[in-house]
Amino acid sequence: MAEREREFVVGSVWPTNRTGTLGDNELDRRLPPAIRLVHVTMDFQEGTEEEFARSIPGYEAKAAGLMGEKPDLIRVLGAPPFMILGFDGESRVIRGWEEKYGVPMFTSGQNHVRAMRALGVKRLLGGTYLPDNLNNIFAQYLREAGFDVIAMEGMDAPFHEVPNIPATDIAEHLKQSFRRHPGAEALYLLGSAWKVLDVLEDIEDSVGVPVIYPLTARSWETQLRLGFRQPITGYGRLLSEMPDLGPVVSA
């Protein structure tokens, strides 16, 4: 009898459950079948700096609750709460949790930084659906990580309505933003609630640079962290090319 393929368990702490399901439904099924995903949520309701700032103890409690699943990797998702800590502050928190629980972890911000580094990006333009006070924090985090941030532009939309914005509207907004701010080597989309997976290649073709998008970045790093490297076509350069992750360092 053939030896059963090893199962890898990936725990994810999600910021919200706005769409009624947890997980990246479009891409999760494209991951190697040996990867089993376990999801919990913080259930954010406001999307404000105050809500994000008080959430770190709750994130740790959720991560600790996943230990019973014996995870091989934990993804601490939702970029804003950890970006507020700054690039080095976030690294210290995650490094402390890794040492405490004995499981490798990454945040959304760390994941996005690694994706941009893997693609050789130095100068970027960012787009979000959050207000300027948070966008300024995100830009500073990325500068601390070593990037030249041309701008971090928000799209005006109520927090709960973001998943309902048509992908074509978002794509046009991002293309216009790129035209207003030339010179970027990548377009960085902060926020998973934007449902633009099916138009990523159209955006990349239009602006001529790679798009760093949370869903594709998560799928990319999840594979590489567990020793897989299976390209997924149709969703932009990061997944189709599967560039090397490189050394995983805390800062």
Side-chain angles (χ1 to χ4, degrees):
M1 180 180 297
E3 184 179 351
R4 181 182 177 187
E5 186 177 18
R6 183 194 165 186
E7 178 181 78
F8 295 87
V9 178
V10 176
S12 300
V13 184
W14 292 84
T16 73
N17 187 20
R18 280 182 284 184
T19 60
T21 60
L22 291 176
D24 296 325
N25 293 330
E26 304 93 332
L27 291 177
D28 284 352
R29 63 177 178 266
R30 307 288 297 275
L31 289 170
I35 297 175
R36 179 168 69 89
L37 302 170
V38 181
H39 305 296
V40 295
T41 178
M42 293 292 293
D43 197 26
F44 288 138
Q45 298 294 320
E46 303 162 18
T48 62
E49 182 176 353
E50 292 75 18
E51 183 180 37
F52 296 143
R54 63 176 181 261
S55 68
I56 302 303
Y59 265 107
E60 182 180 3
K62 294 286 186 179
L66 289 167
M67 290 303 109
E69 298 287 342
K70 300 187 182 337
D72 297 280
L73 176 68
I74 290 181
R75 308 181 303 181
V76 188
L77 306 177
F82 292 88
M83 284 183 161
I84 287 171
L85 302 176
F87 184 66
D88 292 337
E90 172 191 64
S91 295
R92 287 192 294 271
V93 168
I94 297 304
R95 185 167 57 247
W97 292 356
E98 289 177 325
E99 293 172 354
K100 183 175 181 179
Y101 298 106
V103 177
M105 304 184 187
F106 67 77
T107 68
S108 294
Q110 290 173 323
N111 172 224
H112 304 163
V113 165
R114 288 174 188 141
M116 286 186 274
R117 289 175 175 170
L119 289 169
V121 172
K122 298 291 186 184
R123 195 164 194 250
L124 64 94
L125 170 65
T128 84
Y129 42 75
L130 292 162
D132 286 345
N133 64 306
L134 286 170
N135 292 334
N136 292 335
I137 291 172
F138 305 150
Q140 179 58 32
Y141 170 97
L142 292 166
R143 292 184 180 109
E144 290 171 5
F147 298 100
D148 179 4
V149 182
I150 296 174
M152 185 69 67
E153 286 203 335
M155 184 179 189
D156 188 20
F159 188 65
H160 288 283
E161 292 301 315
V162 173
N164 301 321
I165 302 174
T168 51
D169 292 355
I170 299 168
E172 185 56 33
H173 166 76
L174 294 169
K175 292 173 189 177
Q176 290 180 8
S177 179
F178 196 85
R179 288 192 287 269
R180 286 194 300 272
H181 301 284
E185 298 170 346
L187 182 56
Y188 168 50
L189 311 188
L190 191 155
S192 299
W194 267 341
K195 299 307 175 186
V196 295
L197 194 61
D198 292 338
V199 296
L200 280 186
E201 290 206 327
D202 170 65
I203 298 172
E204 285 194 345
D205 289 344
S206 295
V207 300
V209 299
V211 175
I212 310 300
Y213 178 50
L215 277 69
T216 53
R218 273 195 292 273
S219 181
W220 165 78
E221 184 167 353
T222 299
Q223 280 206 51
L224 293 177
R225 284 288 200 114
L226 299 175
F228 298 96
R229 194 176 183 185
Q230 298 181 11
I232 302 173
T233 59
Y235 304 108
R237 279 182 54 189
L238 186 65
L239 277 180
S240 65
E241 296 180 3
M242 290 295 291
D244 286 335
L245 178 63
V248 176
V249 294
S250 298

